[in-house]
Amino acid sequence: MNLHQRTDTLTECDREPIHHIGAVQSFGGLITVDGAGRIVHASANVAQLLGLAALPETGTPLAQVIAAPALASLTAALAAATAPDAIERRFGLDLSAENRPFDCAVHHSHGLGVIEFEPHARNDFADHVSMIVPVIAQLEQASSLGVLCDTAARLVRQMTDYDRVMIYRFYPDESGEVFAEDRHEDLESFEGLRYPAADIPQQARELFRRNRFRIIADMNAPAVPILPASGPGDAPLDLSMSMLRSHSAMHLAYMRNMGVGASLAIAIVRHDRLWGMISCHHRGARLPPYSLRTVAELLSQTFSLMLDRILVAQAEALRERARQLNDRLLLRMAGGVALAESLPMIEELLRGTIPHDGISLFADGEYRASGEAPEEAEFRIIAPLLASTLGGATHASTRLADQIAEAASFAGRAAGALVLPLSRGTRDSLVLWRRPLERTVTWAGNPQKAAAAPGELLQPRASFAAWHETVRGHSAEWSAEECEIAARLRRTLIEVILRMSEDLTRERARAAEQQDLLIAELNHRVRNILGLIRALVAQSQAEALSVPGFAAIIGGRIAALASAHDNITEKNWGPASLIRLIEGELAPYGGIDRARFRLRGEDVLISPEAYTIIALVVHELATNSAKYGSLSASAGTVEVSLARTAFGDLAIGWREAGGPPVTAPTRHGFGSTIITRSIPHDLQGEADVRYRLAGLEADFLVPARYLSAPGGAARRSPAPASAPAPAPTARPAAAASQPARVLVVEDSIIIALDTEENLKRLGVGEVRLESSVEAALAAIAEQAPDFAIIDFNLGGESSQPIAEALRAAGVRFVLATGYAEGAASFARFGAEAVLRKPYGMTEIERLLAGD
């Protein structure tokens, strides 16, 4: 709850066009060019930065200002920045051919190419690159929101050396709180302080959602104007995506009032909404190199992934609590007890789940109440207004009298209300009440000074010392979890009111059972996805020569996974369109231009277990084509053909033409491995890639079991098979010796390759990879390994036959799984241990040692 709600949606700060500021910060320069490569704008310091005799005039060809090699790199970067709000980065470019390298960021702004540059940190660049993997590894270990935020604050401060780093979390009313903090020991703590919503204007929030990084190197440095101030059509230059954009005088005054000399802010975005901020403050001027800032930005992206993992797990636990509550309620009311007579039972079930001081139930014209609740006459006055004023859904309020004035008569006993309407258009409802409290909210300075009277200029607050506000007449807030449980309870009560038939009761039991299976399957899929992402990060390192290279490679692959995940979850984890996948991957490279992209054949739906694999293959093909193949040339084309074979399998053909001459690569990187091995290993299909001089050719075969026609029913993955209980395997009394041969049975080639690499780093001489029960049994029969890691669920197959063969051969083995439950059933396979996904070298090393 925001205790100082805005009376209008546009604050004084929102009236200032902060994206049309017309100036940049002095640590870098800016040039804009039109489609013909002629300069349109230049910051006043360009000549000084580049060693020019004078500032380039409007209309000057960029080629007269920038050296040819750097110009070619910038031109290619502008061509690659095709997606909305895309920013391309290039590091260490010698713009003036004087051995003075610069770091550059380019983007498009209303038809103009924007080039920004600042001096390159030549001596520290390699150190910045080396930070990436250790930082991500530390974030991956966080198991709770508090630990994740504390770890992120500590890591960012260690990397950037700011005096203070805060993790700032927003509330639904857009006010915020400093949730975690790492600071210099002589600074006072801001942790726990609240900030009103007006401290971050709406337009600033929207800018942060689009451009998630903002730095101010020196609050006292004069801004450098952009000349001319207006461009084509007399329009000001839009600096929404700029890294150098100067800032409003009001914001600078606000920060100086806090004693801040330099700042860095990184937005935390979840589901395309602003969840919070990583905010860094320094008492003096400070400018971390662009490469180090890029590492910090990558850390924030990893933070968002880990945040989503933790919040999804919390949501699963909440749904389970709500389901148990609803099942108990239905079981207790199955005897036909009238709803009006069921209040004591409802209150007993709610006790300890949703804290409350009183409860009211109005059903079929009868009123029942318990605890601190309105009298019957008082409730009958407000009953007709509950649905008409608050709507037909669950509604939470800390002071109901603010919405329904008639509730003021009993607000001294029951102020806060959680209202559950039980029928549409009637007065029936269940209401949980909370007493009014006198409580203290600690703000960072007086929040009243974050707003201005109409027509007056807002003056930034001069004090940010803890400012305590005593709040009376409001109850404790209803949490999002409590509101979710109440919404589920409401649905259950409505079912009771409608007198569910016996058939519907049986259907609910089946639905509850299915929900349990789906929750377990969701746990499994989330863990598998995290394992896949961890393997992608580890395997992609060798391909990256720089921070932006690593960010682009891993960012593209994770984006392909995310897009595929969106497509299959859109259909409740059902089969999704292959054509939609292909068009989505090719769109950034001119895929929507049918002159460059031809697609032959009918659409086909791909099952979820195969969809992400094919998405990664298509992503690598498109990326390679854009870098080296036909899509890197303006006249190049790609043709994709889809056809069903006589056996019902899907044949996919990829043909490139019109690009530069093709030669076979001298070495195969991880991207090539994804293209050539993913479909054969994960799907037991086929892949054939040929490097023709005229263009790349590739053919793939996807087995029919992963396909369905458009409009067909979704194919569900079978539930994991239950295993009989064999005799327990005796555990060695002492740690086993290091195995010489290890068998890895895993149906994801990316996870398998990462496991293979970790095993070899640990000194294992021979590692054999298999992806199916049949292939694994053949490998054991050919030569029994010393140790085995087998995936519990191999694309729907149970690993039980492999476990039996390994036990018969006396081979130690462990089961790898993404399922959160069922460890006891896994143990019946005879496994020495259960290896939870995602796992890495540390977990494997411990298992090899027999710990």
Side-chain angles (χ1 to χ4, degrees), residues 393-395 418-422 428-432 486-487 489-490 493:
T394 303
H395 178 84
L418 184 55
V419 183
L420 287 65
L422 299 182
D428 293 353
S429 59
L430 176 73
V431 184
L432 304 181
L489 173 62
R490 173 178 175 264
L493 291 174

Side-chain angles (χ1 to χ4, degrees), residues 80-265:
T82 56
D85 295 342
I87 299 175
E88 288 287 322
R89 307 175 192 198
R90 298 293 184 269
F91 291 79
L93 295 185
D94 191 356
L95 300 182
S96 55
E98 296 179 352
N99 196 26
R100 290 189 298 133
F102 290 87
D103 295 335
C104 304
V106 304
H107 68 276
H108 292 280
S109 177
H110 299 283
L112 296 178
V114 181
I115 302 170
E116 300 177 276
F117 53 93
E118 63 180 88
H120 173 66
R122 192 192 321 238
N123 296 332
D124 300 322
F125 186 77
D127 292 339
H128 300 162
V129 174
S130 66
M131 290 181 181
I132 296 174
V133 173
V135 163
I136 290 177
Q138 290 191 58
L139 284 180
E140 282 182 337
Q141 297 173 14
S143 58
S144 68
L145 181 59
V147 172
L148 177 66
C149 292
D150 288 340
T151 302
R154 174 176 52 81
L155 289 175
V156 171
R157 184 158 181 259
Q158 287 176 355
M159 290 164 49
T160 62
D161 201 29
Y162 279 89
D163 290 334
R164 185 196 307 272
V165 174
M166 299 172 286
I167 307 297
Y168 188 82
R169 179 182 181 181
F170 294 123
Y171 289 102
D173 65 355
E174 297 185 348
S175 67
E177 178 185 355
V178 178
F179 193 71
E181 178 185 51
D182 194 89
R183 58 188 170 85
H184 194 279
E185 59 184 11
D186 62 356
L187 288 176
E188 64 174 322
S189 175
F190 285 175
E191 188 169 354
L193 292 185
R194 291 280 292 267
Y195 290 78
D199 273 19
I200 304 180
Q202 292 302 308
Q203 62 166 336
R205 293 173 188 267
E206 175 60 18
L207 273 183
F208 269 123
R209 190 188 63 79
R210 295 174 55 202
N211 186 357
R212 302 180 184 180
F213 204 90
R214 183 185 73 184
I215 186 167
I216 304 178
D218 187 349
M219 297 292 170
N220 298 309
V224 178
I226 296 173
L227 304 174
S230 299
D234 205 29
L237 179 61
D238 187 333
L239 294 176
S240 296
M241 303 307 298
S242 168
M243 72 166 180
L244 295 175
R245 174 171 57 88
S246 187
H247 297 81
S248 71
M250 190 176 301
H251 177 73
L252 295 175
Y254 177 97
M255 299 301 286
R256 285 195 291 264
N257 286 352
M258 292 181 70
V260 177
S263 69
L264 172 66

